[in-house]
Amino acid sequence: MSVDDKLKLVASSAIQSLFSSNAVSAPISSFDLLTRVIASSPAPTAGSPPTRRLRLTDLSHFERILESLSESWEHGRIKVSREEADGELIVMDVQLGSTREGPSAQPQSSPVRRKRKRVVDEDDDSAAGRAEEDETPERPESWKPPPSTLESLSKTLKEVYNLMQQSTAKGRLLAEQFRSLTGSFEPICPNITKDECARARREAHPDSRSLPAICDRIHFRPLIRPHTDPGLGHCSYLNTCYSEPTYAQSPSIPPLPSHRQMHYGAQGQGPVSLPSGLGAGGRGKEKAPCRYLHFEVDWDVNDGQGLAEQRQVAKRKPYRLPIGLGPAGRETTPLPPQWINCDVRRFDYSVLGKFHVIMADPPWDIHMSLPYGTMTDDEMRAMPIPTLQDEGLLFLWVTGRAMEVGRECMRHWGYTRVDEVVWVKTNQLQRVIRTGRTGHWLNHTKEHMLVGVKTVTDEHGNLKFPKWVNRGLDTDVIVSEVRETSRKPEEVYGMIERMCPGGRKIEIFGRKHNTRPGWLTLGNQLGADQIYEEDLRERIKARYPERLPNPPPNTLGH
């Protein structure tokens, strides 16, 4: 038996076991199903011969197995569908049981069942005839499995289900209107390394000689250092591991203790150190390096034989949806990034004026060791957030126990929570992270952002929403890669700017990587102030004469 046949047999048995035990249900993506198959595979025992097992890098091979099983499967029937947008294979329905019908469906080894003899009255004249009748073999009945959820739907409901799986015209137009044309996002090969990619392509097209050796997507190469033990597998933190040089060189995190300058510290309160410990995440870099596998981007101009250069550059369509233009009611050119380096707990917020949007990522006290200083619950309640808005939106990042404290602070500040955004965190290889750095009971692989509206009511006591807010443009889930500590995904800014085009926006507890056009950022790690709004410069100068915000007034040009 070939290796491919063995893998197909392993996959078939695992799929039958998972669905028969209700461990998984359809519809499910091929990648999710592959992870469950791998997790359900028994670990090799000592002394047993080595066997080929499915791995995450076998996704393309696993999809070919699913397509083969959809044509013929001894355990039942599998229905698969491939998405047109991203080419992902979806297992739409799995129906267990024999796929054959009629008398031939009964296996030859199955015994012929006979009816159990009835106890009859000996005085009954017809007893002899009934006994002979009872000895006749019963015609075997082919077992029919219970219908799946999808199969049990009526024709009308199936049509409704198919319609619900398709994107709406408005959704497609919005996606076209707001799609990124900068090339900032590059697709990543599911096979991770170039060697795995080449092997998968050879297996998929064994007779093709004109096909490039590898695809034109991004690949990674493993970093093998003197202390690396490849047998341990991937590091859970990958490029965010504390022992990684790329992480230590980031300007968004505090320097290591041995490289720290004098008088360094948050709010001038002394040194800040990385969390201690010698765990798998490489914590305590100067004590013990991480022995797990790490990766770096493996890219060359000749990769994919120049296929990357043949990609079609998307062009914006001439049509635009009639969405709101924000508080100003017209398109405006955003100012360059502005920031004020200050102690956000003691700064006079009255000089800042009013804002349409506030976003904050507070250093909540979540009762864990963190690489930065935290604020107490009372300090958070005392934040002068209400002075910054008469009406508008508040976006508040929370995690752990801060999910309850954040809601309480919102009410205390005079806001009504109207929604919540969930950030699902992925790692460098675009897999959902397995080991978050927060969580007392479970490892956190997500983070929440509360969405609040300044509580303003009409004469009937109903909450009044700002008329300039665009609603229904985005979803409440963001799937994005984890970067430095406390750094949030870039997608959240686009979502907020679509909800409120133009207008004044402020981010509190920001760092240098948070600064962006159209926003004013407050934080204590931003360097010299940079202000472009002339009236704001004058108010700050009057309140804090010692401050010299950049750039000078004669170089503004705005």
Side-chain angles (χ1 to χ4, degrees):
M1 182 181 293
S2 65
V3 176
D4 291 346
D5 292 337
K6 292 180 179 179
L7 285 180
K8 183 176 180 180
L9 182 61
V10 170
S12 174
S13 301
I15 294 172
Q16 191 271 342
S17 175
L18 288 172
F19 280 94
S20 62
S21 61
N22 294 323
V24 296
S25 60
I28 183 173
S29 67
S30 58
F31 177 77
D32 291 338
L33 182 57
L34 176 59
T35 58
R36 300 304 298 270
V37 168
I38 295 173
S40 65
S41 301
T45 58
S48 61
T51 57
R52 177 73 162 87
R53 303 176 65 190
L54 286 167
R55 298 174 295 178
L56 289 177
T57 53
D58 294 326
L59 179 59
S60 58
H61 192 179
F62 183 69
E63 290 183 346
R64 292 196 299 273
I65 292 177
L66 288 176
E67 291 174 340
S68 174
L69 295 178
S70 67
E71 299 175 358
S72 175
W73 191 35
E74 59 181 344
H75 299 296
R77 183 172 58 187
I78 295 179
K79 182 179 180 181
V80 298
S81 174
R82 191 171 291 277
E83 297 288 333
E84 296 182 0
D86 53 8
E88 184 180 20
L89 191 70
I90 305 295
V91 178
M92 299 299 297
D93 188 32
V94 173
Q95 190 171 1
L96 299 176
S98 175
T99 57
R100 294 168 294 180
E101 297 179 358
S104 62
Q106 181 72 17
Q108 295 179 0
S109 59
S110 300
V112 177
R113 294 188 300 167
R114 297 179 179 272
K115 289 185 178 179
R116 185 168 54 90
K117 257 191 161 183
R118 294 186 306 156
V119 178
V120 297
D121 187 358
E122 295 293 338
D123 296 332
D124 191 350
D125 294 338
S126 61
R130 286 177 182 162
E132 182 179 352
E133 177 185 344
D134 290 342
E135 291 295 334
T136 59
E138 178 188 358
R139 182 177 179 179
E141 298 178 359
S142 60
W143 177 78
K144 293 184 179 181
S148 63
T149 304
L150 189 61
E151 290 291 336
S152 61
L153 297 178
S154 64
K155 181 179 179 181
T156 302
L157 289 180
K158 286 182 180 180
E159 293 179 356
V160 173
Y161 178 82
N162 291 331
L163 288 175
M164 293 175 63
Q165 304 308 307
Q166 300 178 7
S167 58
T168 63
K170 180 180 179 181
R172 291 194 295 269
L173 292 178
L174 288 172
E176 179 67 32
Q177 180 173 335
F178 293 116
R179 68 179 303 179
S180 174
L181 302 180
T182 61
S184 302
F185 300 95
E186 291 287 347
I188 294 178
C189 176
N191 296 297
I192 302 179
T193 66
K194 292 181 179 179
D195 292 339
E196 293 290 344
C197 177
R199 185 180 299 112
R201 291 167 73 86
R202 287 195 301 269
E203 293 176 355
H205 308 280
D207 300 328
S208 177
R209 296 184 179 180
S210 60
L211 192 70
I214 60 175
C215 66
D216 63 332
R217 297 188 172 190
I218 298 296
H219 300 86
F220 294 88
R221 68 165 66 94
L223 295 172
I224 307 297
R225 302 188 175 99
H227 56 266
T228 302
D229 183 357
L232 296 176
H234 300 176
C235 172
S236 299
Y237 300 100
L238 294 173
N239 59 335
T240 62
C241 177
Y242 287 141
S243 72
E244 274 299 282
T246 54
Y247 185 86
Q249 294 167 5
S250 170
S252 304
I253 65 170
L256 295 169
S258 62
H259 299 82
R260 193 170 290 137
Q261 300 176 359
M262 295 295 294
H263 309 298
Y264 176 87
Q267 312 290 357
Q269 299 297 318
V272 177
S273 61
L274 293 173
S276 61
L278 301 177
R283 294 189 172 192
K285 171 183 173 163
E286 296 182 333
K287 298 178 182 179
C290 180
R291 297 189 298 136
Y292 289 74
L293 268 177
H294 297 84
F295 292 84
E296 66 179 356
V297 174
D298 186 4
W299 176 253
D300 184 79
V301 293
N302 297 321
D303 286 350
Q305 296 184 358
L307 289 179
E309 303 299 330
Q310 302 175 10
R311 294 179 184 171
Q312 297 293 328
V313 178
K315 297 181 179 179
R316 294 195 184 277
K317 300 295 183 181
Y319 50 78
R320 292 181 63 86
L321 287 182
I323 64 172
L325 299 178
R330 55 184 175 83
E331 292 188 3
T332 58
T333 302
L335 290 172
Q338 304 181 98
W339 60 82
I340 300 176
N341 190 71
C342 64
D343 184 342
V344 294
R345 298 171 298 180
R346 299 177 176 87
F347 188 76
D348 185 2
Y349 283 50
S350 63
V351 303
L352 300 176
K354 303 297 182 179
F355 294 86
H356 300 95
V357 170
I358 302 174
M359 184 168 71
D361 181 20
W364 301 101
D365 182 8
I366 58 174
H367 301 170
M368 295 191 69
S369 175
L370 298 170
Y372 50 80
T374 60
M375 293 175 60
T376 66
D377 296 349
D378 290 337
E379 287 178 322
M380 286 304 306
R381 295 186 190 95
M383 289 289 292
I385 300 297
T387 64
L388 297 176
Q389 279 185 330
D390 292 329
E391 70 165 5
L393 303 173
L394 171 63
F395 297 87
L396 187 65
W397 286 100
V398 293
T399 187
R401 64 179 293 271
M403 295 180 66
E404 285 74 31
V405 180
R407 286 169 166 81
E408 180 187 343
C409 287
M410 268 196 168
R411 292 190 294 269
H412 180 75
W413 294 333
Y415 287 82
T416 301
R417 189 191 69 85
V418 295
D419 218 321
E420 186 171 329
V421 177
V422 177
W423 170 28
V424 179
K425 301 178 179 180
T426 58
N427 61 24
Q428 180 186 17
L429 304 180
Q430 303 307 300
R431 310 288 191 252
V432 175
I433 63 173
R434 298 173 296 167
T435 310
R437 285 196 171 108
T438 59
H440 290 281
W441 304 99
L442 300 172
N443 291 321
H444 290 177
T445 62
K446 60 181 176 59
E447 204 163 328
H448 297 252
M449 184 177 69
L450 305 179
V451 182
V453 175
K454 190 68 177 287
T455 304
V456 180
T457 58
D458 58 18
E459 62 274 10
H460 303 292
N462 299 320
L463 182 66
K464 293 178 62 177
F465 291 91
K467 296 181 179 180
W468 40 263
V469 173
N470 294 321
R471 300 160 67 178
L473 297 184
D474 288 87
T475 66
D476 59 353
V477 177
I478 295 175
V479 181
S480 184
E481 182 179 341
V482 172
R483 293 171 292 180
E484 303 93 323
T485 300
S486 296
R487 187 167 184 177
K488 297 303 183 283
E490 298 295 327
E491 291 85 348
V492 72
Y493 293 98
M495 181 190 71
I496 294 175
E497 289 164 1
R498 287 189 287 273
M499 292 182 68
C500 176
R504 297 191 74 209
K505 302 178 180 70
I506 184 172
E507 180 172 2
I508 309 175
F509 306 103
R511 299 179 181 179
K512 202 60 177 288
H513 58 243
N514 298 115
T515 60
R516 59 188 291 116
W519 288 73
L520 172 65
T521 306
L522 266 62
N524 65 345
Q525 301 176 24
L526 295 171
D529 298 350
Q530 178 168 297
I531 303 296
Y532 285 89
E533 296 181 49
E534 295 186 20
D535 54 343
L536 178 57
R537 287 171 58 88
E538 294 300 326
R539 292 195 299 269
I540 293 177
K541 186 176 180 181
R543 178 65 178 82
Y544 299 99
E546 70 279 6
R547 288 182 174 269
L548 297 175
N550 293 321
N554 58 355
T555 63
L556 289 177
H558 292 279

